[in-house]
């Protein structure tokens, strides 16, 4: 028999998945972009703000990431890898974009939200949330506001990037990734089991988004060696993307509408600034390297690494290119952020 805590978690998880499922269905009905990601994200966020407990266990989250990673690996084609020669220049521009967002966003937070320099810097950090929260605790920054505004950034970019995509392409966006082939169930099972083993290694090596990237790495290798072909079947992919969207919404569990209203202006300004800088960087990369603007924008948008890579699959952007840029963003922030924190500490 389940203890009260476990029973409460089970009920909250079932509620989260149910609300996410309804959100996905409504988004499909309304023909919203990337409906299996944006619909659940918005629905679960609204439910959380209404006071309902929304959660997702770590093991379920990892299972979702594995399936999405396996789906991503199917996109690693020779044509996609051919763009690798262009990546150093693009990664350098991304580093510049990140620096502008971090330092410029910190100034915006100080002037518009009245934050102290340390809280403003950590709030403006475009990603690496677990690292940011650790630094926030160590340096006695404004933890509630930092967490809330960072969560708003992830949600807003998840909703806004797909909304911008139809304006940047002349073709209809798919509900799920299109593919003439579907990965056989036995092959999918082998990829998932192998991906789980690789994820354990990646976690020990502290690789960001370890489970998702492990699933992608194994799937990409299997496709590159012609051991299998095609994407994950719809019956696996649709629930996985729905759960991913719901996971984004769970960040707002425990946040009251009043708390959100107190930070909404600052969060909106920061997200708008970050999106503008990212769009300009993406515009330069798309023109310079002759890439689709949608691909460049998703690669530069400072949203959650898992949600942005998943979006690359949904919008049929180049997932390999996008994944490389988002991993580089976190690696670069690992170096840049401590340097900026040290500067502020010495100045105060």
């Amino acid at each position: 028999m389940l203890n009260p805590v476990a029973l409460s978690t089970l009920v909250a998880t079932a509620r989260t998945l149910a609300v996410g499922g309804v959100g996905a269905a409504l988004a499909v009905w309304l023909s919203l972009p990337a409906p299996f990601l944006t619909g659940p994200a918005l629905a679960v966020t609204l439910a959380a703000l209404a006071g309902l407990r929304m959660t997702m266990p770590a093991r379920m989250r990892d299972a979702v990431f594995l399936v999405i990673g396996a789906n991503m690996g199917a996109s690693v084609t020779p044509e996609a890898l051919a763009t690798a020669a262009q990546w150093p220049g693009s990664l350098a521009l991304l580093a510049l974009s990140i620096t502008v967002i971090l330092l410029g966003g910190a100034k915006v937070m100080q002037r518009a939200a009245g934050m102290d320099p340390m809280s403003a810097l950590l709030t403006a950090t475009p990603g690496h949330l677990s690292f940011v929260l650790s630094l926030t605790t160590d340096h006695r920054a404004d933890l509630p506001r930092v967490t809330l505004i960072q969560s708003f950034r992830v949600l807003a970019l998840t909703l806004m990037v797909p909304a911008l995509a139809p304006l940047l392409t002349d073709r209809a966006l798919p509900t799920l990734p299109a593919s003439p082939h579907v990965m056989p169930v036995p092959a999918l099972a082998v990829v998932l089991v192998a991906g789980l083993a690789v994820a354990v290694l990646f976690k020990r090596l502290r690789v960001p988004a370890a489970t998702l990237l492990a699933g992608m790495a194994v799937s990409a290798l299997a496709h590159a060696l012609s051991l299998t072909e095609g994407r994950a079947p719809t019956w696996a992919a649709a629930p996985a993307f729905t759960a991913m969207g719901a996971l984004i919404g769970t960040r707002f569990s425990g946040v009251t509408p009043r708390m959100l209203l107190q930070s909404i202006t600052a969060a909106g300004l920061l997200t708008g600034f970050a999106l503008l800088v990212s769009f300009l960087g993406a515009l330069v990369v798309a023109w310079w390297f002759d890439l689709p603007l949608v691909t460049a924008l998703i690669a530069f948008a400072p949203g959650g690494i898992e949600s942005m890579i998943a979006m690359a699959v949904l919008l049929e952007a180049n997932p390999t290119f996008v994944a490389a840029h988002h991993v580089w963003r976190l690696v670069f922030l690992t170096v840049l952020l401590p340097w900026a924190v040290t500067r502020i500490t010495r100045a105060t």
Side-chain angles (χ1 to χ4, degrees), residues 173 222 309 348:
L173 297 176
I309 296 175
T348 54

Side-chain angles (χ1 to χ4, degrees), residues 85-313:
Q86 302 173 348
W87 293 356
S90 181
L91 293 175
L93 285 172
L94 177 60
L96 176 61
S97 172
I98 292 168
T99 304
V100 172
I101 291 172
L102 178 65
L103 302 182
K107 292 296 184 183
V108 171
M109 289 297 94
Q110 284 182 258
R111 295 177 181 177
M115 285 186 165
D116 62 90
M118 186 64 73
S119 295
L121 179 75
L122 295 172
T123 299
T125 303
H128 226 329
L129 185 58
S130 58
F131 187 32
V132 168
L133 296 183
S134 175
L135 289 172
T136 302
T137 303
D138 291 344
H139 293 275
R140 297 182 180 180
D142 190 345
L143 181 59
R145 292 188 77 187
V146 171
T147 304
L148 181 57
I149 294 175
Q150 286 278 7
S151 298
F152 181 89
R153 171 183 58 82
V154 172
L155 175 66
L157 289 170
T158 301
L159 299 176
M160 291 172 68
V161 171
L164 287 172
L167 305 177
L168 309 178
T169 180
D170 58 359
R171 59 184 177 83
L173 297 176
T175 298
L176 282 172
S179 175
H181 303 289
V182 175
M183 197 184 308
V185 173
L188 176 61
V190 171
V191 166
L192 295 179
V193 171
L196 186 59
V198 174
V200 174
L201 174 62
F202 278 10
K203 287 182 178 181
R204 289 180 180 176
L205 296 175
R206 299 183 181 275
V207 174
T211 306
L212 184 140
L213 293 179
M216 179 181 178
V218 172
S219 179
L221 182 62
H223 283 81
L225 297 177
S226 299
L227 299 177
T228 188
E229 63 178 354
R231 299 183 184 273
T234 300
W235 57 260
F241 284 112
T242 298
M244 166 74 83
L247 178 63
I248 294 169
T250 61
R251 290 173 176 266
F252 290 87
S253 190
V255 175
T256 65
R258 181 179 179 182
M259 293 168 60
L260 184 63
L261 287 174
Q262 290 175 340
S263 299
I264 194 71
T265 301
L269 284 172
L270 181 61
T271 302
F273 174 73
L275 187 59
L276 176 61
V277 173
S278 299
F279 181 78
L280 292 176
L283 201 61
V284 172
V285 166
W287 169 78
W288 191 358
F289 299 117
D290 193 25
L291 291 171
L293 185 53
V294 172
T295 299
L297 179 60
I298 298 174
F300 272 61
I305 180 171
E306 296 90 354
S307 58
M308 289 296 107
I309 296 175
M311 193 176 298
V313 179

Side-chain angles (χ1 to χ4, degrees), residues 9-10 13 55-62 247:
T9 299
L10 181 62
T13 302
T55 189
M56 187 175 296
R59 290 184 179 179
M60 180 178 291
R61 177 198 63 200
D62 285 346
L247 178 63

